[in-house]
Amino acid sequence: MSAIILNGTETAAGIRREIEREVAELKSAGGAAPGLAVLLIGDDPASSIYVTMKEKACARVGIASFPHRLPGTAKKEELLELIDRLNRDPEVSGILVQLPLPPSLDEREIVSRLDPEKDVDGFHPHNLGRLVRGEALFVPCTPAGIRELLRRYRIPTEGRDAVIVGRSNIVGKPLAVLLAAKNEDGNATVTVCHTRTRDLAAHTRRADILVAAAGVREMIGADMVKPGAAVIDVGIHAVGRRPDGKRILAGDVDFKEVKNAAGAITPVPGGVGPMTIAMLLKNTLTAFKRRRNPGQRQTAG
Ligand code: GUN
């Protein structure tokens, strides 16, 4: 039997419509619009594509975007000064520094300079710490998108075995925290696997929810998946071009094989990717609303 497709494109479109409506209401009430500053340093082609997609997504829902493209040779001081300026700018609700940064720049130092209340990626140490305590101001966008997809497709997490392959600060670690959290979207028993894991398949085969976020093309085959499991593919790899010039993409999961074993599966493209961008828009709107109403201190998880 073939798995249910967890359609990120469609789900994200629904979330964007919700955001668009709210932004329009805020604007018609005479308020300013939310704004996102998007920083790209260097000329990494994949990062450049992602950043353009994020800016287009902002425009579609009425969020202003403020692009800042710096050369890969940009000095740390120049970038920190720009971040300080954006931190003070009242038109900027959120700031996104696209990662990875060129090797000459220390990612931790740069990200730590963001005002945590504008850190819509949720990567600042203040926000990652708050996430662990269940008090996040912003949940990192990819884990938030995965949580939202599971929620909207009513895939239960409570008491189930979730196995995450990959331990990055952006995906694996925050997602482990979310799925293990003591709340209705968590309560899973979480295992985080990585490059030093022994007998990876023995772990993945136990997963009711399997998340592939290792950055290794099609590493998850059907023999690594428990029949009926929900399989979430975070990977994205350009594997060639069609005759019309469009890219051919693959994930960390061997989709063709695994869709016959899994109960539910995200495609690549059209699964986690659009959800990540939708969550960025949502976080930007949250940042804007918090700033307008500082008394409103609700957390995002
Ligand atoms: N690089 C890969 N994923 C992300 C993300 O979610 N945010 C940023 N800023 N950079 C990334």
Side-chain angles (χ1 to χ4, degrees), residues 34-53:
L36 177 68
V38 181
L39 278 58
L40 175 64
I41 299 95
D43 51 10
D44 178 67
S47 290
S48 179
I49 292 171
Y50 294 142
V51 158
T52 304
M53 285 165 70

Side-chain angles (χ1 to χ4, degrees), residues 54 96-100 121 123 141-142 170 276:
K54 290 172 185 182
L96 173 141
V97 180
Q98 186 65 29
L99 302 178
D121 262 323
F123 296 162
C141 303
T142 299
I170 295 180
T276 296

